[in-house]
Amino acid sequence: MDKFETIKGLVAPLFQANIDTDQIIPKQFLTRIERTGYGAFLFNDWRLNSDGSPKPNFVLNDQRYAGASILVAGANFGCGSSREHAPWSLLDYGFRVVIAPSFGDIFFNNSLKNGLLPVRLDEKIVNRLVEDTQTIDGYSLTIDLENKTVADASGVIATFEIDEFRRYCLLNGLDDIGLTLQHEEKITAFESKAGR
Amino acid sequence: MKTLYDKIWDRHLVHAEVGKPSLLYIDLHLIHEVTSPQAFEGLRLAGRKLRRPDLTFGTIDHAIPTVNRNLPFKDPIAAQQVATLRENCREFGVKLYDLDRIEQGIIHVFGPEQGLTHPGMTIVCGDSHTSTHGAFGALAFGIGTSEVEHVFATQCLQQDRAKNFRINVEGELPFGVTSKDIILGIINEIGANGGVGHVIEYAGSTIRDLSMEGRMTVCNMSIEGGAKAGLIAPDDTTFEYVSGKPFAPKGEDWERAVANWKTLTTDDGSHFDKIVDIDAAALEPFVTWGTSPDMSVKVSDNVPDLSHARDENEVRSFERMYQYMGLEPSQPIDKINIDRAFIGSCTNSRIEDLRDAAKVVKGYNISNRVNAMVVPGSMQIKRQAEEEGLARIFIDAGFEWRDAGCSMCLAMNEDILQPGERCASTSNRNFEGRQGRGGRTHLVSPIMAAAAAITGHFVDVRNWKFKD
């Protein structure tokens, strides 16, 4: 996993509650056996017509948000299916951060394992961010994982909580499996003691 | 004093360190074709081996056709995915229950049916409905592909302890109200994110009185309430179900196992972070009307109008849902016509589901404007239903009788809704496009789906005229 650096980028609003992983990446793209190339299918049914042409009313097709790397969404973002294709597609499309009041547990976990940062912020702040993306042209945020801050042109507007260990892993691009394998002896001891 | 969840957690703790996630041992790893290929590839790229192929079991379910499974798949990419699973299982020594096996089925039907699922286990699978196995008092949850790879390599997962959430369901279930209605009612009550960060223990007399099939239906949809997992303490019903299954402990091992399983209960006075009480007598058959599983109403109710929305954000969601679902506010549920009926999925495709649905169907024909199908959860269930005469009842009524698979629950194969088609479905998710782009899904119990298939619209199955 690449190290997570401070991200400064354009913000796109997708403000609905309960955006599930079926919307983020519909099932017809899950038969592929690769880990890459899913950006083309991100929000497929919302973003594209059946003939592949863009739907003009969908927010990510709005030129104002072209090239956005930060997504602001409603509560329970990424609920539903465990498909890791969801963070893969967001990352491949160009997003590095998703800000929402809450996230589906599995999606949250999957995102951290891939260097996509899910930032939980209070609903009031999320509402304000959404408004700013709509009223301020080119509204951008800086997400500083080191200091756990979200800042716009006016300065720091929020701080966020994240598990210290996860933060450390993201900042250093550490491999989970490698870390667990440092406990190889303990795993083996557990297996023999528990008869597994 | 410990909850059931805490007990299972403690028994699987390999390593704990302040400020870091704990290392939890995994007893059973179930895999399927869709979420495993990238994990196997990851192992290969890192030059790692699969630590415990003997604790890893695979079957094929998500993207396979439910007719003509012996012919080459129409979808070459799905065919390649299945071929990849076969090669991976061969290379890494994982036992695979392939399409030619009677044991093959939906992974969460297959595991319990083969006796792989035992009380007190930790069970994971790259599928969110792994929560199903919680019905046995096993800590079971869905994981992503990176974690699948992690379990392959280490047989452990890095986990943070979840909070404890108890849901008590008390009283006798009214006639026509099923385990599906219990869980739809619960999700309606707690919301689609009500369980986030929690493991739910379902308790109370109503839960105790459920069969294992019913308990699996309840635990299956824990994830639809946002929970990490669902749990039901094991009891005689559980032991009886597991007993004699191919991978169940035998002889002295069985006695030892049961003695151990009997300790898997929540101690009196244990702390729960959240408690919800449900009165079974007040439940009715539920029908979802929106595109989130908490958007449901009792069959005697109407599609809610905007006065039921809690805030401005929900007003916007309601408006979006009316439009997507092609419904009007205040429309009576029994005035909603359907085009399709789907009885199947890891939620409701077990023998008891099929028996109940067949009782409703017996002596009737499905509406001539409805296309209906039954997709058994495993080939074993399919055979059993044929032997019991259930298949005949469905076929005579005009249902299609299919081979086992996930089918139209997620429509990765050709079982798919056309845009605008409306389906009474026994599956677990009514998300936009879940059963096909533009498709409209109403989640219901098997008997409600069966009754809707016959009348062509939703009806209150409590008033059904059974023909014997």
PDB file of all heavy atoms in Angstrom, chain A residues 22-23 27 30 34 46 48 84 105 165 175 180 184 186 191 196, chain B residues 25 27 38 48 51 81 145-146 150 158 197 410 432-434 437:
ATOM      1  N   ASP A  22     -23.619  -1.466  -3.765  1.00  0.00           N
ATOM      2  CA  ASP A  22     -24.218  -1.819  -5.063  1.00  0.00           C
ATOM      3  C   ASP A  22     -24.283  -0.597  -5.980  1.00  0.00           C
ATOM      4  O   ASP A  22     -24.208  -0.733  -7.198  1.00  0.00           O
ATOM      5  CB  ASP A  22     -25.644  -2.368  -4.888  1.00  0.00           C
ATOM      6  CG  ASP A  22     -25.666  -3.863  -4.616  1.00  0.00           C
ATOM      7  OD1 ASP A  22     -25.388  -4.243  -3.465  1.00  0.00           O
ATOM      8  OD2 ASP A  22     -25.949  -4.637  -5.544  1.00  0.00           O
ATOM      9  N   GLN A  23     -24.477   0.591  -5.395  1.00  0.00           N
ATOM     10  CA  GLN A  23     -24.479   1.813  -6.213  1.00  0.00           C
ATOM     11  C   GLN A  23     -23.054   2.180  -6.589  1.00  0.00           C
ATOM     12  O   GLN A  23     -22.791   2.603  -7.714  1.00  0.00           O
ATOM     13  CB  GLN A  23     -25.108   2.996  -5.465  1.00  0.00           C
ATOM     14  CG  GLN A  23     -26.495   2.756  -4.915  1.00  0.00           C
ATOM     15  CD  GLN A  23     -27.403   2.053  -5.883  1.00  0.00           C
ATOM     16  OE1 GLN A  23     -27.453   2.370  -7.076  1.00  0.00           O
ATOM     17  NE2 GLN A  23     -28.109   1.062  -5.390  1.00  0.00           N
ATOM     18  N   LYS A  27     -23.104  -4.903  -9.531  1.00  0.00           N
ATOM     19  CA  LYS A  27     -22.646  -6.296  -9.602  1.00  0.00           C
ATOM     20  C   LYS A  27     -22.152  -6.767 -10.943  1.00  0.00           C
ATOM     21  O   LYS A  27     -21.348  -7.697 -10.994  1.00  0.00           O
ATOM     22  CB  LYS A  27     -23.747  -7.230  -9.105  1.00  0.00           C
ATOM     23  CG  LYS A  27     -24.928  -7.464 -10.053  1.00  0.00           C
ATOM     24  CD  LYS A  27     -25.717  -6.257 -10.330  1.00  0.00           C
ATOM     25  CE  LYS A  27     -27.106  -6.449 -10.841  1.00  0.00           C
ATOM     26  NZ  LYS A  27     -28.038  -5.727  -9.981  1.00  0.00           N
ATOM     27  N   LEU A  30     -18.446  -7.327 -11.163  1.00  0.00           N
ATOM     28  CA  LEU A  30     -17.740  -8.088 -10.132  1.00  0.00           C
ATOM     29  C   LEU A  30     -17.215  -9.424 -10.633  1.00  0.00           C
ATOM     30  O   LEU A  30     -16.643 -10.187  -9.866  1.00  0.00           O
ATOM     31  CB  LEU A  30     -18.650  -8.337  -8.921  1.00  0.00           C
ATOM     32  CG  LEU A  30     -19.298  -7.122  -8.268  1.00  0.00           C
ATOM     33  CD1 LEU A  30     -20.016  -7.543  -6.993  1.00  0.00           C
ATOM     34  CD2 LEU A  30     -18.284  -6.043  -7.956  1.00  0.00           C
ATOM     35  N   GLU A  34      -9.448  -9.072 -11.698  1.00  0.00           N
ATOM     36  CA  GLU A  34      -8.368  -8.132 -11.426  1.00  0.00           C
ATOM     37  C   GLU A  34      -8.730  -7.237 -10.239  1.00  0.00           C
ATOM     38  O   GLU A  34      -9.877  -7.173  -9.816  1.00  0.00           O
ATOM     39  CB  GLU A  34      -8.090  -7.239 -12.645  1.00  0.00           C
ATOM     40  CG  GLU A  34      -7.631  -7.980 -13.878  1.00  0.00           C
ATOM     41  CD  GLU A  34      -8.785  -8.565 -14.696  1.00  0.00           C
ATOM     42  OE1 GLU A  34      -9.957  -8.231 -14.421  1.00  0.00           O
ATOM     43  OE2 GLU A  34      -8.503  -9.391 -15.591  1.00  0.00           O
ATOM     44  N   TRP A  46     -25.773   5.306 -11.966  1.00  0.00           N
ATOM     45  CA  TRP A  46     -26.133   6.709 -11.704  1.00  0.00           C
ATOM     46  C   TRP A  46     -25.417   7.649 -12.680  1.00  0.00           C
ATOM     47  O   TRP A  46     -25.929   8.692 -13.037  1.00  0.00           O
ATOM     48  CB  TRP A  46     -25.730   7.112 -10.266  1.00  0.00           C
ATOM     49  CG  TRP A  46     -26.603   6.534  -9.200  1.00  0.00           C
ATOM     50  CD1 TRP A  46     -27.735   5.782  -9.387  1.00  0.00           C
ATOM     51  CD2 TRP A  46     -26.446   6.663  -7.785  1.00  0.00           C
ATOM     52  NE1 TRP A  46     -28.265   5.445  -8.176  1.00  0.00           N
ATOM     53  CE2 TRP A  46     -27.515   5.965  -7.175  1.00  0.00           C
ATOM     54  CE3 TRP A  46     -25.505   7.309  -6.968  1.00  0.00           C
ATOM     55  CZ2 TRP A  46     -27.663   5.889  -5.786  1.00  0.00           C
ATOM     56  CZ3 TRP A  46     -25.662   7.234  -5.589  1.00  0.00           C
ATOM     57  CH2 TRP A  46     -26.722   6.531  -4.996  1.00  0.00           C
ATOM     58  N   LEU A  48     -23.923   6.836 -15.771  1.00  0.00           N
ATOM     59  CA  LEU A  48     -23.990   6.584 -17.209  1.00  0.00           C
ATOM     60  C   LEU A  48     -25.345   6.025 -17.624  1.00  0.00           C
ATOM     61  O   LEU A  48     -25.969   5.256 -16.884  1.00  0.00           O
ATOM     62  CB  LEU A  48     -22.905   5.572 -17.613  1.00  0.00           C
ATOM     63  CG  LEU A  48     -21.463   5.938 -17.267  1.00  0.00           C
ATOM     64  CD1 LEU A  48     -20.538   4.760 -17.542  1.00  0.00           C
ATOM     65  CD2 LEU A  48     -21.013   7.157 -18.059  1.00  0.00           C
ATOM     66  N   GLU A  84     -14.940  -5.393  -2.021  1.00  0.00           N
ATOM     67  CA  GLU A  84     -13.824  -4.445  -1.912  1.00  0.00           C
ATOM     68  C   GLU A  84     -13.664  -3.661  -3.215  1.00  0.00           C
ATOM     69  O   GLU A  84     -12.912  -2.697  -3.288  1.00  0.00           O
ATOM     70  CB  GLU A  84     -12.539  -5.209  -1.564  1.00  0.00           C
ATOM     71  CG  GLU A  84     -11.448  -4.327  -0.997  1.00  0.00           C
ATOM     72  CD  GLU A  84     -10.428  -5.112  -0.181  1.00  0.00           C
ATOM     73  OE1 GLU A  84     -10.841  -5.920   0.671  1.00  0.00           O
ATOM     74  OE2 GLU A  84      -9.221  -4.905  -0.401  1.00  0.00           O
ATOM     75  N   ASP A 105     -19.549  -0.658   8.185  1.00  0.00           N
ATOM     76  CA  ASP A 105     -18.334  -1.180   8.828  1.00  0.00           C
ATOM     77  C   ASP A 105     -17.363  -1.840   7.849  1.00  0.00           C
ATOM     78  O   ASP A 105     -16.155  -1.627   7.914  1.00  0.00           O
ATOM     79  CB  ASP A 105     -18.710  -2.237   9.884  1.00  0.00           C
ATOM     80  CG  ASP A 105     -19.203  -1.605  11.184  1.00  0.00           C
ATOM     81  OD1 ASP A 105     -18.864  -0.437  11.444  1.00  0.00           O
ATOM     82  OD2 ASP A 105     -19.922  -2.295  11.931  1.00  0.00           O
ATOM     83  N   PHE A 165      -3.701   3.226  15.429  1.00  0.00           N
ATOM     84  CA  PHE A 165      -2.952   2.190  14.725  1.00  0.00           C
ATOM     85  C   PHE A 165      -3.216   2.253  13.219  1.00  0.00           C
ATOM     86  O   PHE A 165      -2.302   2.156  12.412  1.00  0.00           O
ATOM     87  CB  PHE A 165      -3.326   0.815  15.274  1.00  0.00           C
ATOM     88  CG  PHE A 165      -2.638  -0.312  14.577  1.00  0.00           C
ATOM     89  CD1 PHE A 165      -1.283  -0.559  14.793  1.00  0.00           C
ATOM     90  CD2 PHE A 165      -3.327  -1.133  13.698  1.00  0.00           C
ATOM     91  CE1 PHE A 165      -0.644  -1.601  14.135  1.00  0.00           C
ATOM     92  CE2 PHE A 165      -2.698  -2.175  13.040  1.00  0.00           C
ATOM     93  CZ  PHE A 165      -1.348  -2.410  13.259  1.00  0.00           C
ATOM     94  N   ASP A 175       1.969  -3.063   5.520  1.00  0.00           N
ATOM     95  CA  ASP A 175       1.272  -4.251   5.064  1.00  0.00           C
ATOM     96  C   ASP A 175       0.753  -5.024   6.276  1.00  0.00           C
ATOM     97  O   ASP A 175       1.518  -5.551   7.076  1.00  0.00           O
ATOM     98  CB  ASP A 175       2.265  -5.084   4.241  1.00  0.00           C
ATOM     99  CG  ASP A 175       1.800  -6.512   4.006  1.00  0.00           C
ATOM    100  OD1 ASP A 175       0.583  -6.743   4.012  1.00  0.00           O
ATOM    101  OD2 ASP A 175       2.668  -7.378   3.796  1.00  0.00           O
ATOM    102  N   THR A 180       0.913  -8.994  10.990  1.00  0.00           N
ATOM    103  CA  THR A 180       0.356 -10.159  11.690  1.00  0.00           C
ATOM    104  C   THR A 180       1.358 -11.299  11.730  1.00  0.00           C
ATOM    105  O   THR A 180       1.482 -11.996  12.750  1.00  0.00           O
ATOM    106  CB  THR A 180      -0.955 -10.605  11.012  1.00  0.00           C
ATOM    107  OG1 THR A 180      -1.914  -9.552  11.137  1.00  0.00           O
ATOM    108  CG2 THR A 180      -1.515 -11.870  11.653  1.00  0.00           C
ATOM    109  N   GLU A 184       3.698 -14.875  14.329  1.00  0.00           N
ATOM    110  CA  GLU A 184       3.646 -16.271  13.874  1.00  0.00           C
ATOM    111  C   GLU A 184       3.729 -17.276  15.029  1.00  0.00           C
ATOM    112  O   GLU A 184       2.926 -18.208  15.107  1.00  0.00           O
ATOM    113  CB  GLU A 184       4.800 -16.480  12.863  1.00  0.00           C
ATOM    114  CG  GLU A 184       5.196 -17.902  12.586  1.00  0.00           C
ATOM    115  CD  GLU A 184       4.128 -18.669  11.826  1.00  0.00           C
ATOM    116  OE1 GLU A 184       3.474 -18.072  10.976  1.00  0.00           O
ATOM    117  OE2 GLU A 184       3.965 -19.876  12.125  1.00  0.00           O
ATOM    118  N   LYS A 186       2.972 -16.913  18.142  1.00  0.00           N
ATOM    119  CA  LYS A 186       1.741 -16.876  18.951  1.00  0.00           C
ATOM    120  C   LYS A 186       0.597 -17.588  18.241  1.00  0.00           C
ATOM    121  O   LYS A 186      -0.234 -18.244  18.886  1.00  0.00           O
ATOM    122  CB  LYS A 186       1.349 -15.420  19.252  1.00  0.00           C
ATOM    123  CG  LYS A 186       2.137 -14.808  20.379  1.00  0.00           C
ATOM    124  CD  LYS A 186       1.392 -13.622  20.944  1.00  0.00           C
ATOM    125  CE  LYS A 186       1.660 -13.497  22.430  1.00  0.00           C
ATOM    126  NZ  LYS A 186       0.878 -12.440  23.066  1.00  0.00           N
ATOM    127  N   GLU A 191      -2.816 -22.375  18.045  1.00  0.00           N
ATOM    128  CA  GLU A 191      -3.337 -23.546  17.316  1.00  0.00           C
ATOM    129  C   GLU A 191      -3.094 -24.831  18.093  1.00  0.00           C
ATOM    130  O   GLU A 191      -3.967 -25.690  18.182  1.00  0.00           O
ATOM    131  CB  GLU A 191      -2.704 -23.635  15.922  1.00  0.00           C
ATOM    132  CG  GLU A 191      -3.298 -22.614  14.958  1.00  0.00           C
ATOM    133  CD  GLU A 191      -2.605 -22.574  13.611  1.00  0.00           C
ATOM    134  OE1 GLU A 191      -1.376 -22.817  13.553  1.00  0.00           O
ATOM    135  OE2 GLU A 191      -3.293 -22.295  12.613  1.00  0.00           O
ATOM    136  N   ARG A 196      -6.331 -26.780  17.120  1.00  0.00           N
ATOM    137  CA  ARG A 196      -6.805 -26.502  15.760  1.00  0.00           C
ATOM    138  C   ARG A 196      -5.755 -26.821  14.707  1.00  0.00           C
ATOM    139  O   ARG A 196      -4.610 -26.806  14.928  1.00  0.00           O
ATOM    140  CB  ARG A 196      -7.235 -25.049  15.653  1.00  0.00           C
ATOM    141  CG  ARG A 196      -8.548 -24.816  16.358  1.00  0.00           C
ATOM    142  CD  ARG A 196      -8.988 -23.375  16.228  1.00  0.00           C
ATOM    143  NE  ARG A 196     -10.259 -23.159  16.903  1.00  0.00           N
ATOM    144  CZ  ARG A 196     -10.379 -22.821  18.188  1.00  0.00           C
ATOM    145  NH1 ARG A 196      -9.307 -22.710  18.943  1.00  0.00           N
ATOM    146  NH2 ARG A 196     -11.569 -22.626  18.711  1.00  0.00           N
TER     147      ARG A 196
ATOM    148  N   TYR B  25      -8.293 -15.470  16.098  1.00  0.00           N
ATOM    149  CA  TYR B  25      -8.137 -16.683  15.296  1.00  0.00           C
ATOM    150  C   TYR B  25      -9.445 -16.997  14.562  1.00  0.00           C
ATOM    151  O   TYR B  25     -10.532 -16.827  15.115  1.00  0.00           O
ATOM    152  CB  TYR B  25      -7.742 -17.877  16.160  1.00  0.00           C
ATOM    153  CG  TYR B  25      -7.170 -19.001  15.323  1.00  0.00           C
ATOM    154  CD1 TYR B  25      -5.853 -18.942  14.879  1.00  0.00           C
ATOM    155  CD2 TYR B  25      -7.955 -20.086  14.947  1.00  0.00           C
ATOM    156  CE1 TYR B  25      -5.329 -19.944  14.080  1.00  0.00           C
ATOM    157  CE2 TYR B  25      -7.434 -21.093  14.147  1.00  0.00           C
ATOM    158  CZ  TYR B  25      -6.123 -21.013  13.715  1.00  0.00           C
ATOM    159  OH  TYR B  25      -5.597 -22.005  12.907  1.00  0.00           O
ATOM    160  N   ASP B  27     -11.755 -19.863  12.777  1.00  0.00           N
ATOM    161  CA  ASP B  27     -11.929 -21.317  12.735  1.00  0.00           C
ATOM    162  C   ASP B  27     -12.362 -21.843  11.377  1.00  0.00           C
ATOM    163  O   ASP B  27     -12.072 -22.984  11.023  1.00  0.00           O
ATOM    164  CB  ASP B  27     -13.002 -21.743  13.750  1.00  0.00           C
ATOM    165  CG  ASP B  27     -12.581 -21.465  15.172  1.00  0.00           C
ATOM    166  OD1 ASP B  27     -11.390 -21.639  15.473  1.00  0.00           O
ATOM    167  OD2 ASP B  27     -13.447 -21.065  15.981  1.00  0.00           O
ATOM    168  N   GLN B  38      -8.643 -12.092  -6.304  1.00  0.00           N
ATOM    169  CA  GLN B  38      -7.587 -11.103  -6.043  1.00  0.00           C
ATOM    170  C   GLN B  38      -6.812 -11.459  -4.770  1.00  0.00           C
ATOM    171  O   GLN B  38      -5.650 -11.085  -4.627  1.00  0.00           O
ATOM    172  CB  GLN B  38      -8.202  -9.707  -5.919  1.00  0.00           C
ATOM    173  CG  GLN B  38      -8.869  -9.184  -7.180  1.00  0.00           C
ATOM    174  CD  GLN B  38     -10.333  -9.593  -7.320  1.00  0.00           C
ATOM    175  OE1 GLN B  38     -10.840 -10.425  -6.562  1.00  0.00           O
ATOM    176  NE2 GLN B  38     -11.007  -9.021  -8.308  1.00  0.00           N
ATOM    177  N   ARG B  48       3.446 -16.064  -0.518  1.00  0.00           N
ATOM    178  CA  ARG B  48       2.984 -16.629   0.746  1.00  0.00           C
ATOM    179  C   ARG B  48       2.169 -17.887   0.493  1.00  0.00           C
ATOM    180  O   ARG B  48       1.584 -18.064  -0.566  1.00  0.00           O
ATOM    181  CB  ARG B  48       2.118 -15.603   1.498  1.00  0.00           C
ATOM    182  CG  ARG B  48       2.957 -14.478   2.058  1.00  0.00           C
ATOM    183  CD  ARG B  48       2.085 -13.364   2.622  1.00  0.00           C
ATOM    184  NE  ARG B  48       2.920 -12.339   3.253  1.00  0.00           N
ATOM    185  CZ  ARG B  48       2.690 -11.042   3.208  1.00  0.00           C
ATOM    186  NH1 ARG B  48       1.643 -10.574   2.559  1.00  0.00           N
ATOM    187  NH2 ARG B  48       3.485 -10.190   3.813  1.00  0.00           N
ATOM    188  N   ARG B  51      -2.194 -20.718   4.896  1.00  0.00           N
ATOM    189  CA  ARG B  51      -1.804 -21.344   6.152  1.00  0.00           C
ATOM    190  C   ARG B  51      -2.625 -22.586   6.492  1.00  0.00           C
ATOM    191  O   ARG B  51      -2.077 -23.611   6.866  1.00  0.00           O
ATOM    192  CB  ARG B  51      -1.947 -20.323   7.283  1.00  0.00           C
ATOM    193  CG  ARG B  51      -1.438 -20.841   8.622  1.00  0.00           C
ATOM    194  CD  ARG B  51      -1.620 -19.824   9.731  1.00  0.00           C
ATOM    195  NE  ARG B  51      -1.169 -20.403  10.989  1.00  0.00           N
ATOM    196  CZ  ARG B  51       0.079 -20.323  11.441  1.00  0.00           C
ATOM    197  NH1 ARG B  51       0.991 -19.665  10.746  1.00  0.00           N
ATOM    198  NH2 ARG B  51       0.404 -20.900  12.580  1.00  0.00           N
ATOM    199  N   GLN B  81     -13.975 -16.467 -14.146  1.00  0.00           N
ATOM    200  CA  GLN B  81     -13.899 -16.313 -12.690  1.00  0.00           C
ATOM    201  C   GLN B  81     -14.071 -17.667 -11.986  1.00  0.00           C
ATOM    202  O   GLN B  81     -13.349 -17.982 -11.041  1.00  0.00           O
ATOM    203  CB  GLN B  81     -14.980 -15.334 -12.234  1.00  0.00           C
ATOM    204  CG  GLN B  81     -14.782 -14.841 -10.828  1.00  0.00           C
ATOM    205  CD  GLN B  81     -15.784 -13.766 -10.459  1.00  0.00           C
ATOM    206  OE1 GLN B  81     -16.982 -13.921 -10.663  1.00  0.00           O
ATOM    207  NE2 GLN B  81     -15.293 -12.661  -9.933  1.00  0.00           N
ATOM    208  N   THR B 145     -11.853  -8.418   0.371  1.00  0.00           N
ATOM    209  CA  THR B 145     -10.869  -9.292  -0.260  1.00  0.00           C
ATOM    210  C   THR B 145      -9.482  -9.189   0.391  1.00  0.00           C
ATOM    211  O   THR B 145      -8.770 -10.187   0.487  1.00  0.00           O
ATOM    212  CB  THR B 145     -10.804  -8.984  -1.772  1.00  0.00           C
ATOM    213  OG1 THR B 145     -12.096  -9.279  -2.320  1.00  0.00           O
ATOM    214  CG2 THR B 145      -9.765  -9.806  -2.483  1.00  0.00           C
ATOM    215  N   SER B 146      -9.103  -7.998   0.849  1.00  0.00           N
ATOM    216  CA  SER B 146      -7.805  -7.871   1.537  1.00  0.00           C
ATOM    217  C   SER B 146      -7.788  -8.733   2.784  1.00  0.00           C
ATOM    218  O   SER B 146      -6.768  -9.337   3.140  1.00  0.00           O
ATOM    219  CB  SER B 146      -7.532  -6.424   1.941  1.00  0.00           C
ATOM    220  OG  SER B 146      -7.359  -5.626   0.807  1.00  0.00           O
ATOM    221  N   HIS B 150      -5.683 -11.930   4.057  1.00  0.00           N
ATOM    222  CA  HIS B 150      -5.084 -11.934   5.387  1.00  0.00           C
ATOM    223  C   HIS B 150      -5.365 -13.255   6.101  1.00  0.00           C
ATOM    224  O   HIS B 150      -4.483 -13.841   6.730  1.00  0.00           O
ATOM    225  CB  HIS B 150      -5.645 -10.745   6.189  1.00  0.00           C
ATOM    226  CG  HIS B 150      -4.904 -10.444   7.443  1.00  0.00           C
ATOM    227  ND1 HIS B 150      -5.061 -11.200   8.577  1.00  0.00           N
ATOM    228  CD2 HIS B 150      -3.999  -9.487   7.749  1.00  0.00           C
ATOM    229  CE1 HIS B 150      -4.281 -10.704   9.526  1.00  0.00           C
ATOM    230  NE2 HIS B 150      -3.624  -9.666   9.045  1.00  0.00           N
ATOM    231  N   GLN B 158      -7.077  -8.984  12.120  1.00  0.00           N
ATOM    232  CA  GLN B 158      -6.898  -7.880  13.060  1.00  0.00           C
ATOM    233  C   GLN B 158      -8.272  -7.268  13.295  1.00  0.00           C
ATOM    234  O   GLN B 158      -8.924  -6.838  12.359  1.00  0.00           O
ATOM    235  CB  GLN B 158      -5.974  -6.825  12.470  1.00  0.00           C
ATOM    236  CG  GLN B 158      -4.564  -7.330  12.228  1.00  0.00           C
ATOM    237  CD  GLN B 158      -3.684  -6.278  11.574  1.00  0.00           C
ATOM    238  OE1 GLN B 158      -4.086  -5.134  11.396  1.00  0.00           O
ATOM    239  NE2 GLN B 158      -2.482  -6.684  11.207  1.00  0.00           N
ATOM    240  N   GLY B 197     -21.153  -0.854  14.161  1.00  0.00           N
ATOM    241  CA  GLY B 197     -20.199  -0.962  15.271  1.00  0.00           C
ATOM    242  C   GLY B 197     -20.610  -1.948  16.350  1.00  0.00           C
ATOM    243  O   GLY B 197     -19.898  -2.114  17.337  1.00  0.00           O
ATOM    244  N   LEU B 410     -28.838 -10.952  -6.300  1.00  0.00           N
ATOM    245  CA  LEU B 410     -27.954  -9.871  -6.757  1.00  0.00           C
ATOM    246  C   LEU B 410     -27.808  -9.854  -8.258  1.00  0.00           C
ATOM    247  O   LEU B 410     -27.111  -9.004  -8.794  1.00  0.00           O
ATOM    248  CB  LEU B 410     -26.591  -9.908  -6.049  1.00  0.00           C
ATOM    249  CG  LEU B 410     -25.487 -10.818  -6.551  1.00  0.00           C
ATOM    250  CD1 LEU B 410     -24.181 -10.451  -5.888  1.00  0.00           C
ATOM    251  CD2 LEU B 410     -25.800 -12.256  -6.326  1.00  0.00           C
ATOM    252  N   GLU B 432     -31.384   0.205  -5.103  1.00  0.00           N
ATOM    253  CA  GLU B 432     -31.584   0.531  -6.518  1.00  0.00           C
ATOM    254  C   GLU B 432     -30.747  -0.405  -7.380  1.00  0.00           C
ATOM    255  O   GLU B 432     -29.548  -0.577  -7.134  1.00  0.00           O
ATOM    256  CB  GLU B 432     -31.106   1.968  -6.799  1.00  0.00           C
ATOM    257  CG  GLU B 432     -32.084   3.033  -6.394  1.00  0.00           C
ATOM    258  CD  GLU B 432     -31.583   4.435  -6.751  1.00  0.00           C
ATOM    259  OE1 GLU B 432     -30.888   4.599  -7.771  1.00  0.00           O
ATOM    260  OE2 GLU B 432     -31.899   5.359  -5.982  1.00  0.00           O
ATOM    261  N   GLY B 433     -31.369  -0.988  -8.372  1.00  0.00           N
ATOM    262  CA  GLY B 433     -30.640  -1.791  -9.347  1.00  0.00           C
ATOM    263  C   GLY B 433     -30.119  -3.119  -8.839  1.00  0.00           C
ATOM    264  O   GLY B 433     -29.473  -3.857  -9.572  1.00  0.00           O
ATOM    265  N   ARG B 434     -30.390  -3.445  -7.593  1.00  0.00           N
ATOM    266  CA  ARG B 434     -29.837  -4.675  -7.019  1.00  0.00           C
ATOM    267  C   ARG B 434     -30.206  -5.897  -7.865  1.00  0.00           C
ATOM    268  O   ARG B 434     -29.396  -6.774  -8.110  1.00  0.00           O
ATOM    269  CB  ARG B 434     -30.378  -4.838  -5.595  1.00  0.00           C
ATOM    270  CG  ARG B 434     -30.057  -6.165  -4.930  1.00  0.00           C
ATOM    271  CD  ARG B 434     -28.661  -6.205  -4.373  1.00  0.00           C
ATOM    272  NE  ARG B 434     -28.419  -7.471  -3.693  1.00  0.00           N
ATOM    273  CZ  ARG B 434     -27.273  -7.811  -3.130  1.00  0.00           C
ATOM    274  NH1 ARG B 434     -26.242  -6.981  -3.151  1.00  0.00           N
ATOM    275  NH2 ARG B 434     -27.125  -8.966  -2.546  1.00  0.00           N
ATOM    276  N   ARG B 437     -30.825  -3.307 -13.376  1.00  0.00           N
ATOM    277  CA  ARG B 437     -30.898  -1.855 -13.507  1.00  0.00           C
ATOM    278  C   ARG B 437     -32.347  -1.409 -13.705  1.00  0.00           C
ATOM    279  O   ARG B 437     -33.023  -1.899 -14.596  1.00  0.00           O
ATOM    280  CB  ARG B 437     -30.042  -1.424 -14.692  1.00  0.00           C
ATOM    281  CG  ARG B 437     -29.893   0.058 -14.805  1.00  0.00           C
ATOM    282  CD  ARG B 437     -28.851   0.422 -15.838  1.00  0.00           C
ATOM    283  NE  ARG B 437     -28.724   1.871 -15.865  1.00  0.00           N
ATOM    284  CZ  ARG B 437     -27.668   2.514 -16.337  1.00  0.00           C
ATOM    285  NH1 ARG B 437     -26.661   1.838 -16.824  1.00  0.00           N
ATOM    286  NH2 ARG B 437     -27.628   3.822 -16.313  1.00  0.00           N
TER     287      ARG B 437
END
